[in-house]
Coordinates of all heavy atoms in Angstrom, one line a residue:
M1 N 97.7 108.3 82.6 CA 98.0 108.2 84.0 C 96.7 108.6 84.8 O 96.1 109.6 84.5 CB 99.1 109.2 84.4 CG 99.5 109.1 85.8 SD 100.9 110.2 86.2 CE 102.2 109.5 85.2
T2 N 96.3 107.7 85.7 CA 95.1 107.9 86.5 C 95.5 109.0 87.6 O 96.6 109.2 87.9 CB 94.6 106.7 87.2 OG1 95.6 106.2 88.2 CG2 94.4 105.5 86.2
N3 N 94.4 109.6 88.1 CA 94.6 110.5 89.2 C 95.4 110.0 90.3 O 96.2 110.7 91.0 CB 93.3 111.1 89.7 CG 92.7 112.0 88.7 OD1 93.3 112.6 87.9 ND2 91.4 112.3 88.8
E4 N 95.2 108.7 90.7 CA 95.9 108.1 91.8 C 97.4 108.0 91.5 O 98.2 107.8 92.5 CB 95.3 106.8 92.2 CG 94.0 107.0 92.9 CD 93.6 105.7 93.6 OE1 94.4 105.1 94.3 OE2 92.4 105.4 93.6
Q5 N 97.8 107.9 90.3 CA 99.2 107.8 90.0 C 100.0 109.1 89.8 O 101.2 109.1 89.7 CB 99.3 107.0 88.6 CG 98.8 105.6 88.7 CD 98.8 104.9 87.4 OE1 98.4 105.5 86.4 NE2 99.1 103.6 87.3
R6 N 99.2 110.2 89.9 CA 99.9 111.5 89.7 C 100.4 111.9 91.1 O 99.9 111.7 92.1 CB 98.8 112.5 89.3 CG 98.3 112.2 87.9 CD 97.1 113.1 87.6 NE 97.6 114.4 87.1 CZ 96.8 115.5 87.0 NH1 95.6 115.4 87.3 NH2 97.3 116.6 86.5
S7 N 101.6 112.6 91.0 CA 102.3 113.1 92.2 C 102.0 114.6 92.4 O 102.5 115.4 91.6 CB 103.8 112.8 92.1 OG 104.0 111.4 92.1
P8 N 101.3 115.0 93.4 CA 101.0 116.4 93.6 C 102.2 117.2 94.3 O 103.0 116.6 95.0 CB 99.8 116.3 94.6 CG 100.0 115.1 95.4 CD 100.6 114.1 94.4
I9 N 102.2 118.4 93.9 CA 103.1 119.4 94.6 C 102.4 120.6 95.0 O 101.3 120.9 94.4 CB 104.3 119.7 93.6 CG1 103.8 120.4 92.3 CG2 105.3 118.6 93.4 CD1 104.9 120.9 91.4
H10 N 102.9 121.3 95.9 CA 102.2 122.6 96.3 C 102.4 123.6 95.0 O 103.5 123.6 94.5 CB 102.8 123.3 97.5 CG 102.7 122.4 98.7 ND1 103.5 122.5 99.7 CD2 101.8 121.5 99.1 CE1 103.2 121.6 100.7 NE2 102.0 121.0 100.3
H11 N 101.4 124.2 94.7 CA 101.4 125.2 93.5 C 102.5 126.2 93.8 O 102.6 126.7 94.9 CB 100.1 125.8 93.3 CG 100.0 126.4 91.9 ND1 100.6 127.5 91.5 CD2 99.3 125.9 90.8 CE1 100.4 127.8 90.3 NE2 99.6 126.8 89.8
P12 N 103.3 126.5 92.8 CA 104.4 127.5 93.0 C 103.9 128.9 93.4 O 104.7 129.6 94.0 CB 105.2 127.5 91.7 CG 104.4 126.6 90.8 CD 103.4 125.9 91.5
R13 N 102.7 129.2 93.2 CA 102.1 130.5 93.6 C 101.5 130.5 95.0 O 100.7 131.4 95.3 CB 101.2 131.0 92.5 CG 101.9 131.4 91.3 CD 100.9 131.9 90.2 NE 100.5 130.6 89.5 CZ 99.7 130.6 88.5 NH1 99.3 131.7 88.0 NH2 99.4 129.5 87.9
T14 N 101.8 129.5 95.8 CA 101.3 129.4 97.2 C 102.4 129.5 98.2 O 103.5 129.2 97.8 CB 100.5 128.1 97.4 OG1 101.4 127.0 97.4 CG2 99.3 128.0 96.5
A15 N 102.0 129.9 99.4 CA 102.9 129.9 100.5 C 102.1 129.2 101.6 O 100.9 129.4 101.7 CB 103.4 131.3 100.9
S16 N 102.8 128.4 102.4 CA 102.1 127.7 103.5 C 102.9 127.5 104.7 O 104.2 127.4 104.6 CB 101.5 126.4 103.0 OG 102.6 125.5 102.6
R17 N 102.2 127.3 105.8 CA 102.9 126.9 107.0 C 101.9 125.9 107.7 O 100.7 126.0 107.6 CB 103.1 128.0 108.0 CG 104.2 129.0 107.5 CD 105.6 128.5 107.9 NE 106.6 129.5 107.7 CZ 107.4 129.5 106.6 NH1 107.2 128.7 105.6 NH2 108.3 130.5 106.4
V18 N 102.4 125.1 108.6 CA 101.5 124.2 109.4 C 101.8 124.6 110.8 O 103.0 124.5 111.3 CB 101.8 122.7 109.1 CG1 101.0 121.9 110.1 CG2 101.6 122.4 107.7
F19 N 100.8 125.0 111.5 CA 100.8 125.4 112.9 C 100.0 124.5 113.7 O 98.8 124.4 113.5 CB 100.3 126.9 113.2 CG 101.1 127.9 112.4 CD1 100.6 128.4 111.2 CD2 102.3 128.4 112.8 CE1 101.3 129.4 110.5 CE2 103.0 129.4 112.1 CZ 102.5 129.9 110.9
S20 N 100.6 123.8 114.7 CA 99.8 122.9 115.6 C 99.0 121.9 114.8 O 97.8 121.7 115.1 CB 99.0 123.7 116.6 OG 99.8 124.5 117.3
G21 N 99.5 121.4 113.7 CA 98.7 120.4 112.9 C 97.7 121.0 111.9 O 97.0 120.3 111.2
E22 N 97.6 122.3 111.8 CA 96.7 123.0 110.9 C 97.4 123.7 109.8 O 98.2 124.6 110.1 CB 95.7 123.9 111.6 CG 94.7 123.2 112.5 CD 93.7 124.1 113.1 OE1 93.5 125.3 112.7 OE2 93.0 123.7 114.0
A23 N 97.1 123.4 108.6 CA 97.8 124.1 107.5 C 97.1 125.4 107.1 O 95.9 125.5 107.1 CB 97.8 123.2 106.2
V24 N 98.0 126.4 107.0 CA 97.5 127.7 106.5 C 98.1 128.0 105.1 O 99.4 127.9 105.0 CB 97.9 128.8 107.5 CG1 97.5 130.2 107.0 CG2 97.4 128.6 108.9
V25 N 97.3 128.1 104.1 CA 97.8 128.2 102.8 C 97.4 129.6 102.3 O 96.3 130.0 102.3 CB 97.2 127.1 101.9 CG1 97.7 127.2 100.4 CG2 97.5 125.8 102.4
I26 N 98.4 130.3 101.7 CA 98.2 131.7 101.2 C 98.5 131.7 99.7 O 99.4 131.2 99.2 CB 99.1 132.7 101.9 CG1 98.9 132.6 103.4 CG2 99.0 134.1 101.4 CD1 100.0 133.2 104.2
T27 N 97.5 132.4 99.0 CA 97.8 132.6 97.6 C 97.8 134.2 97.4 O 96.8 134.8 97.3 CB 96.6 132.0 96.7 OG1 95.4 132.4 97.3 CG2 96.7 130.5 96.6
P28 N 99.0 134.7 97.4 CA 99.2 136.2 97.4 C 98.5 136.8 96.2 O 97.9 137.9 96.4 CB 100.7 136.3 97.4 CG 101.3 135.1 97.9 CD 100.3 134.0 97.6
A29 N 98.6 136.2 95.1 CA 98.0 136.9 93.9 C 96.5 137.0 94.0 O 95.9 138.0 93.5 CB 98.3 136.0 92.6
Q30 N 95.8 136.1 94.7 CA 94.4 136.2 95.0 C 94.1 136.8 96.3 O 92.9 137.0 96.6 CB 93.8 134.8 94.9 CG 93.9 134.1 93.6 CD 93.6 132.6 93.7 OE1 93.6 132.0 94.7 NE2 93.1 132.1 92.5
N31 N 95.1 137.1 97.1 CA 94.9 137.7 98.4 C 94.0 136.9 99.3 O 93.1 137.4 99.9 CB 94.4 139.1 98.3 CG 94.7 140.0 99.5 OD1 95.6 139.7 100.2 ND2 93.9 141.0 99.7
M32 N 94.2 135.5 99.2 CA 93.4 134.6 99.9 C 94.3 133.8 100.9 O 95.4 133.5 100.7 CB 92.8 133.5 99.0 CG 91.8 134.1 98.0 SD 90.2 134.5 98.8 CE 89.7 132.9 99.4
V33 N 93.6 133.5 102.1 CA 94.2 132.7 103.1 C 93.2 131.6 103.4 O 92.0 131.9 103.6 CB 94.5 133.5 104.4 CG1 95.0 132.6 105.5 CG2 95.4 134.6 104.2
R34 N 93.7 130.4 103.4 CA 92.8 129.2 103.6 C 93.4 128.4 104.8 O 94.6 128.3 104.8 CB 92.7 128.4 102.4 CG 92.0 129.0 101.3 CD 91.9 128.1 100.0 NE 91.1 128.7 98.9 CZ 91.6 129.6 98.1 NH1 92.9 129.9 98.1 NH2 90.8 130.1 97.1
M35 N 92.5 127.8 105.6 CA 93.0 126.9 106.7 C 92.2 125.6 106.4 O 91.1 125.6 106.1 CB 92.6 127.5 108.0 CG 93.4 128.8 108.3 SD 92.9 129.5 109.9 CE 93.6 128.3 111.0
F36 N 93.0 124.5 106.6 CA 92.4 123.2 106.4 C 92.2 122.5 107.7 O 92.8 122.8 108.7 CB 93.4 122.3 105.6 CG 93.7 122.9 104.2 CD1 94.9 122.6 103.6 CD2 92.7 123.5 103.5 CE1 95.2 123.1 102.3 CE2 93.0 124.0 102.2 CZ 94.2 123.7 101.6
N37 N 91.2 121.6 107.7 CA 90.9 120.8 108.9 C 92.0 119.9 109.1 O 93.0 119.8 108.3 CB 89.5 120.1 108.8 CG 89.5 119.0 107.7 OD1 90.6 118.4 107.3 ND2 88.4 118.8 107.2
P38 N 92.1 119.1 110.2 CA 93.2 118.2 110.5 C 93.5 117.2 109.4 O 94.7 117.0 109.1 CB 92.8 117.5 111.8 CG 91.9 118.4 112.5 CD 91.1 119.1 111.4
V39 N 92.5 116.6 108.8 CA 92.8 115.6 107.7 C 93.3 116.4 106.5 O 94.3 116.0 105.8 CB 91.6 114.8 107.3 CG1 91.9 113.9 106.2 CG2 91.1 114.0 108.5
G40 N 92.7 117.5 106.1 CA 93.2 118.3 105.0 C 94.6 118.8 105.2 O 95.4 118.8 104.3
S41 N 94.9 119.2 106.4 CA 96.3 119.6 106.8 C 97.3 118.5 106.7 O 98.4 118.6 106.2 CB 96.3 120.1 108.2 OG 95.5 121.3 108.3
R42 N 96.8 117.2 107.1 CA 97.7 116.1 106.9 C 98.0 115.8 105.5 O 99.2 115.5 105.1 CB 97.2 114.9 107.6 CG 98.1 113.6 107.6 CD 99.4 113.9 108.3 NE 100.2 112.7 108.2 CZ 101.5 112.8 107.9 NH1 102.1 113.9 107.8 NH2 102.2 111.7 107.9
I43 N 97.0 115.9 104.6 CA 97.2 115.7 103.2 C 98.2 116.7 102.7 O 99.1 116.4 102.0 CB 95.9 115.7 102.4 CG1 95.0 114.5 102.8 CG2 96.1 115.8 100.9 CD1 93.5 114.6 102.3
W44 N 98.0 118.0 103.1 CA 98.9 119.1 102.6 C 100.3 118.8 103.0 O 101.2 119.0 102.3 CB 98.4 120.4 103.2 CG 99.1 121.6 102.7 CD1 100.2 122.2 103.3 CD2 99.0 122.2 101.4 NE1 100.6 123.2 102.4 CE2 99.9 123.2 101.3 CE3 98.1 121.9 100.4 CZ2 100.0 124.1 100.2 CZ3 98.2 122.7 99.2 CH2 99.1 123.8 99.1
Q45 N 100.5 118.2 104.2 CA 101.9 117.9 104.7 C 102.4 116.7 103.9 O 103.7 116.7 103.7 CB 101.8 117.4 106.1 CG 101.6 118.6 107.1 CD 101.5 118.1 108.5 OE1 100.7 117.2 108.8 NE2 102.3 118.6 109.4
L46 N 101.6 115.8 103.4 CA 102.1 114.7 102.6 C 102.4 115.0 101.2 O 103.0 114.2 100.4 CB 101.1 113.6 102.7 CG 100.9 112.9 104.1 CD1 99.7 112.0 104.1 CD2 102.2 112.2 104.5
I47 N 102.0 116.2 100.7 CA 102.2 116.6 99.3 C 103.7 117.0 99.2 O 104.1 118.0 99.8 CB 101.3 117.7 98.9 CG1 99.8 117.3 98.9 CG2 101.7 118.3 97.5 CD1 98.8 118.4 98.7
D48 N 104.5 116.2 98.4 CA 105.9 116.5 98.3 C 106.5 116.3 96.9 O 107.6 116.4 96.7 CB 106.7 115.7 99.3 CG 106.6 114.2 99.1 OD1 105.9 113.7 98.2 OD2 107.1 113.4 100.0
G49 N 105.6 115.9 96.0 CA 106.1 115.6 94.6 C 106.7 114.2 94.5 O 107.0 113.8 93.4
Q50 N 106.9 113.5 95.6 CA 107.5 112.2 95.6 C 106.4 111.1 95.7 O 106.4 110.1 95.0 CB 108.5 112.0 96.7 CG 109.6 113.0 96.6 CD 110.4 112.9 95.4 OE1 110.8 111.8 94.9 NE2 110.6 114.1 94.7
R51 N 105.4 111.4 96.6 CA 104.3 110.4 96.8 C 103.2 110.7 95.8 O 102.9 111.9 95.5 CB 103.7 110.6 98.2 CG 104.6 110.3 99.3 CD 103.8 110.6 100.6 NE 104.7 110.4 101.8 CZ 105.3 111.3 102.4 NH1 105.2 112.6 102.0 NH2 106.1 111.1 103.4
N52 N 102.6 109.7 95.3 CA 101.5 109.9 94.4 C 100.2 109.9 95.2 O 100.2 109.6 96.5 CB 101.4 108.9 93.2 CG 101.2 107.5 93.6 OD1 100.5 107.2 94.6 ND2 101.9 106.6 92.9
V53 N 99.1 110.2 94.6 CA 97.8 110.3 95.3 C 97.5 109.0 96.0 O 97.0 108.9 97.1 CB 96.7 110.8 94.4 CG1 95.4 110.7 95.1 CG2 97.0 112.2 94.0
G54 N 97.7 107.9 95.3 CA 97.4 106.6 95.8 C 98.2 106.2 97.1 O 97.7 105.7 98.0
Q55 N 99.5 106.7 97.1 CA 100.3 106.5 98.3 C 99.8 107.3 99.5 O 99.8 106.9 100.6 CB 101.7 106.8 98.0 CG 102.3 105.7 97.0 CD 103.7 106.2 96.5 OE1 103.9 107.4 96.1 NE2 104.6 105.3 96.4
I56 N 99.3 108.5 99.1 CA 98.8 109.4 100.2 C 97.5 108.8 100.8 O 97.3 108.8 102.0 CB 98.5 110.8 99.6 CG1 99.9 111.5 99.4 CG2 97.7 111.7 100.6 CD1 99.8 112.8 98.6
V57 N 96.7 108.2 99.9 CA 95.4 107.6 100.4 C 95.8 106.4 101.3 O 95.2 106.2 102.4 CB 94.6 107.1 99.2 CG1 93.5 106.2 99.7 CG2 94.0 108.3 98.4
D58 N 96.8 105.6 100.9 CA 97.2 104.5 101.7 C 97.7 104.9 103.1 O 97.4 104.3 104.1 CB 98.3 103.7 101.0 CG 97.8 102.9 99.8 OD1 96.5 102.7 99.7 OD2 98.6 102.5 99.0
L59 N 98.5 106.0 103.1 CA 98.9 106.6 104.4 C 97.8 107.0 105.3 O 97.8 106.8 106.5 CB 100.0 107.7 104.2 CG 101.3 107.2 103.7 CD1 102.1 108.5 103.3 CD2 102.1 106.5 104.8
L60 N 96.8 107.7 104.7 CA 95.7 108.1 105.4 C 94.9 107.0 106.0 O 94.4 107.1 107.2 CB 94.8 109.0 104.6 CG 95.4 110.4 104.1 CD1 94.5 111.0 103.1 CD2 95.7 111.2 105.3
I61 N 94.7 105.9 105.2 CA 94.0 104.7 105.7 C 94.7 104.2 106.9 O 94.0 103.9 107.9 CB 93.9 103.7 104.6 CG1 93.0 104.2 103.5 CG2 93.4 102.3 105.1 CD1 93.1 103.3 102.2
D62 N 96.0 104.1 106.9 CA 96.8 103.6 108.0 C 96.7 104.5 109.2 O 96.5 104.1 110.4 CB 98.2 103.4 107.7 CG 98.4 102.2 106.7 OD1 97.5 101.4 106.6 OD2 99.5 102.2 106.1
E63 N 96.8 105.8 109.0 CA 96.9 106.8 110.1 C 95.5 107.0 110.8 O 95.5 107.3 112.0 CB 97.5 108.1 109.6 CG 98.9 108.0 109.3 CD 99.5 109.3 108.8 OE1 98.9 110.4 109.0 OE2 100.6 109.3 108.2
Y64 N 94.5 107.0 110.0 CA 93.1 107.3 110.5 C 92.2 106.2 110.6 O 91.0 106.3 111.0 CB 92.5 108.4 109.6 CG 93.2 109.8 109.7 CD1 94.2 110.1 108.8 CD2 92.9 110.7 110.7 CE1 94.9 111.3 108.9 CE2 93.5 111.9 110.9 CZ 94.5 112.2 110.0 OH 95.2 113.4 110.1
D65 N 92.7 105.0 110.3 CA 91.8 103.8 110.4 C 90.4 104.0 109.8 O 89.4 103.9 110.4 CB 91.7 103.3 111.8 CG 91.0 101.9 111.9 OD1 91.2 101.1 111.0 OD2 90.4 101.7 112.9
V66 N 90.5 104.5 108.5 CA 89.2 104.8 107.8 C 89.0 103.8 106.7 O 89.9 103.1 106.2 CB 89.3 106.3 107.2 CG1 90.4 106.3 106.1 CG2 88.0 106.7 106.7
D67 N 87.7 103.6 106.3 CA 87.4 102.7 105.2 C 88.1 103.1 103.9 O 88.1 104.3 103.5 CB 85.9 102.8 105.0 CG 85.4 102.0 103.8 OD1 85.5 100.8 103.8 OD2 85.0 102.7 102.8
P68 N 88.8 102.2 103.2 CA 89.6 102.5 102.1 C 88.8 103.2 101.0 O 89.3 104.2 100.4 CB 90.1 101.2 101.6 CG 90.1 100.3 102.8 CD 89.0 100.8 103.7
E69 N 87.6 102.8 100.7 CA 86.7 103.4 99.7 C 86.4 104.8 100.0 O 86.5 105.7 99.2 CB 85.4 102.6 99.5 CG 84.8 102.8 98.2 CD 83.6 101.8 98.1 OE1 83.8 100.6 97.9 OE2 82.5 102.3 98.1
R70 N 86.1 105.1 101.3 CA 85.8 106.4 101.7 C 87.0 107.3 101.6 O 87.0 108.5 101.2 CB 85.2 106.4 103.1 CG 84.9 107.8 103.6 CD 84.2 107.8 104.9 NE 83.8 109.2 105.3 CZ 83.8 109.6 106.5 NH1 84.1 108.8 107.5 NH2 83.5 110.9 106.7
A71 N 88.2 106.8 102.1 CA 89.4 107.5 102.0 C 89.8 107.9 100.6 O 90.2 109.1 100.4 CB 90.5 106.7 102.7
Q72 N 89.6 107.0 99.7 CA 90.0 107.3 98.3 C 89.0 108.3 97.7 O 89.5 109.3 97.1 CB 89.8 106.0 97.5 CG 90.2 106.2 96.0 CD 89.9 105.0 95.2 OE1 89.1 104.1 95.5 NE2 90.7 104.9 94.1
R73 N 87.7 108.2 97.9 CA 86.7 109.1 97.4 C 87.0 110.5 97.9 O 87.0 111.5 97.2 CB 85.3 108.6 97.7 CG 84.3 109.5 97.1 CD 82.9 108.9 97.4 NE 82.6 108.9 98.8 CZ 82.5 107.8 99.6 NH1 82.7 106.6 99.1 NH2 82.2 107.9 100.9
T74 N 87.1 110.7 99.2 CA 87.2 112.0 99.8 C 88.6 112.6 99.5 O 88.6 113.9 99.3 CB 87.0 112.0 101.4 OG1 87.9 111.1 102.0 CG2 85.5 111.6 101.7
T75 N 89.6 111.8 99.4 CA 90.9 112.4 99.1 C 90.9 112.9 97.6 O 91.5 113.9 97.3 CB 92.0 111.3 99.3 OG1 92.0 110.9 100.7 CG2 93.4 111.9 98.9
L76 N 90.4 112.1 96.7 CA 90.3 112.5 95.3 C 89.5 113.8 95.2 O 89.8 114.7 94.4 CB 89.7 111.4 94.4 CG 90.6 110.2 94.2 CD1 89.9 109.1 93.4 CD2 91.9 110.6 93.5
D77 N 88.4 113.9 96.0 CA 87.6 115.1 96.0 C 88.4 116.3 96.5 O 88.3 117.4 96.0 CB 86.3 115.0 96.8 CG 85.3 114.0 96.2 OD1 85.4 113.7 95.0 OD2 84.3 113.6 96.9
F78 N 89.2 116.1 97.5 CA 90.0 117.2 98.1 C 91.0 117.6 97.1 O 91.2 118.8 96.9 CB 90.7 116.7 99.4 CG 91.4 117.7 100.1 CD1 90.8 118.7 100.8 CD2 92.8 117.7 100.2 CE1 91.5 119.7 101.5 CE2 93.5 118.6 100.9 CZ 92.9 119.7 101.5
F79 N 91.6 116.7 96.4 CA 92.6 117.1 95.4 C 91.9 117.8 94.2 O 92.5 118.7 93.7 CB 93.4 115.9 94.9 CG 94.6 115.6 95.7 CD1 94.6 114.4 96.5 CD2 95.7 116.4 95.7 CE1 95.7 114.2 97.3 CE2 96.8 116.1 96.5 CZ 96.8 115.0 97.3
A80 N 90.7 117.4 93.9 CA 90.0 118.2 92.8 C 89.8 119.6 93.2 O 89.9 120.5 92.4 CB 88.7 117.5 92.5
M81 N 89.4 119.8 94.5 CA 89.2 121.2 95.0 C 90.6 121.9 95.0 O 90.6 123.1 94.6 CB 88.6 121.1 96.4 CG 88.4 122.5 97.1 SD 89.8 123.3 97.9 CE 90.2 122.1 99.2
L82 N 91.6 121.3 95.5 CA 92.9 121.9 95.5 C 93.4 122.4 94.1 O 93.9 123.5 93.9 CB 94.0 121.0 96.1 CG 93.9 120.7 97.6 CD1 95.0 119.7 98.0 CD2 94.0 121.9 98.4
E83 N 93.1 121.5 93.1 CA 93.5 121.8 91.7 C 92.6 122.9 91.2 O 93.1 123.9 90.5 CB 93.4 120.5 90.9 CG 93.9 120.7 89.5 CD 94.0 119.4 88.7 OE1 93.1 118.5 89.0 OE2 94.8 119.4 87.8
E84 N 91.3 122.9 91.5 CA 90.4 123.9 91.0 C 90.8 125.3 91.5 O 90.7 126.3 90.8 CB 89.0 123.6 91.5 CG 88.0 124.6 91.1 CD 86.6 124.3 91.6 OE1 86.2 123.1 91.5 OE2 85.9 125.2 92.1
K85 N 91.3 125.4 92.8 CA 91.6 126.6 93.4 C 93.1 127.0 93.2 O 93.6 127.9 93.7 CB 91.3 126.6 94.9 CG 89.8 126.4 95.2 CD 89.5 126.6 96.6 CE 88.0 126.4 96.9 NZ 87.1 127.3 96.2
E86 N 93.8 126.2 92.3 CA 95.2 126.4 92.0 C 96.1 126.4 93.2 O 97.0 127.2 93.3 CB 95.4 127.7 91.1 CG 94.6 127.6 89.8 CD 94.8 128.9 89.0 OE1 95.4 129.8 89.4 OE2 94.4 128.8 87.8
L87 N 95.8 125.5 94.1 CA 96.7 125.3 95.3 C 97.6 124.2 95.1 O 98.6 124.0 95.9 CB 95.8 125.1 96.5 CG 94.8 126.2 96.9 CD1 94.0 125.8 98.1 CD2 95.5 127.5 97.1
V88 N 97.4 123.3 94.1 CA 98.2 122.1 93.9 C 98.5 122.1 92.4 O 97.7 122.5 91.6 CB 97.5 120.8 94.4 CG1 96.4 120.5 93.5 CG2 98.5 119.7 94.5
A89 N 99.7 121.6 92.1 CA 100.1 121.3 90.7 C 100.6 119.8 90.7 O 100.5 119.2 91.7 CB 101.2 122.2 90.2
W90 N 101.0 119.3 89.6 CA 101.4 118.0 89.4 C 102.9 117.9 89.0 O 103.3 118.5 88.0 CB 100.4 117.2 88.5 CG 99.1 117.4 88.9 CD1 98.1 118.2 88.5 CD2 98.4 116.6 90.0 NE1 97.0 118.1 89.2 CE2 97.1 117.1 90.2 CE3 98.9 115.6 90.9 CZ2 96.2 116.6 91.1 CZ3 98.0 115.1 91.8 CH2 96.7 115.6 91.9
A91 N 103.6 117.0 89.7 CA 105.0 116.8 89.3 C 105.1 116.3 87.9 O 104.3 115.5 87.5 CB 105.7 115.8 90.3
G92 N 106.0 116.9 87.1 CA 106.1 116.5 85.7 C 105.3 117.3 84.8 O 105.4 117.2 83.6
D93 N 104.4 118.2 85.3 CA 103.5 119.1 84.5 C 104.1 120.4 84.3 O 103.4 121.4 84.0 CB 102.1 119.1 85.1 CG 101.3 117.9 84.9 OD1 101.8 116.9 84.2 OD2 100.2 117.8 85.4
G94 N 105.3 120.6 84.7 CA 106.0 121.9 84.7 C 105.4 122.9 85.7 O 105.5 124.1 85.6
G95 N 104.8 122.3 86.8 CA 104.2 123.2 87.8 C 102.9 123.9 87.4 O 102.5 124.8 88.1
Q96 N 102.4 123.5 86.3 CA 101.2 124.3 85.8 C 100.0 123.4 85.9 O 100.0 122.2 85.6 CB 101.4 124.7 84.4 CG 102.6 125.7 84.3 CD 102.5 126.9 85.1 OE1 101.4 127.6 85.1 NE2 103.5 127.3 85.8

């Protein structure tokens, strides 16, 4: 399965809220609070375990009128960062 076919979920060890379009993500075990820019916040809102990464990229292209190649590259980079920091897991991976 390619990265674009994977369906992301919020990592079970995170808590988050979106205030005025800005996501605030807390990882209590690490005692960390992160805030995302508007595009990162929108991606965070779209993470639901139902949409795959490719579908999220398509929505961002429509919503932000951005070049598809750039949208794909930056979204995949963002998901790599989320995964590295254990803020996202993948549906079907047992949440790990």
Side-chain angles (χ1 to χ4, degrees):
M1 183 177 300
T2 67
N3 285 341
E4 284 195 43
Q5 295 171 320
R6 298 171 81 194
S7 297
I9 57 173
H10 297 153
H11 199 286
R13 289 179 273 188
T14 64
S16 65
R17 292 276 192 262
V18 178
F19 300 99
S20 301
E22 291 188 13
V24 177
V25 181
I26 302 166
T27 49
Q30 298 170 333
N31 203 22
M32 292 288 298
V33 176
R34 293 178 177 86
M35 295 179 69
F36 298 148
N37 68 25
V39 176
S41 295
R42 182 62 179 137
I43 292 170
W44 188 258
Q45 289 175 303
L46 293 170
I47 295 172
D48 63 3
Q50 302 301 311
R51 294 178 187 95
N52 65 35
V53 173
Q55 292 168 320
I56 292 172
V57 170
D58 290 342
L59 286 168
L60 294 172
I61 291 167
D62 290 342
E63 291 179 18
Y64 291 94
D65 191 30
V66 65
D67 174 67
E69 200 172 292
R70 180 173 182 214
Q72 179 184 28
R73 184 178 63 252
T74 57
T75 302
L76 289 173
D77 289 348
F78 186 70
F79 274 108
M81 181 276 300
L82 292 175
E83 187 171 27
E84 177 185 317
K85 296 189 181 302
E86 297 183 352
L87 301 178
V88 71
W90 303 99
D93 287 353
Q96 301 300 316

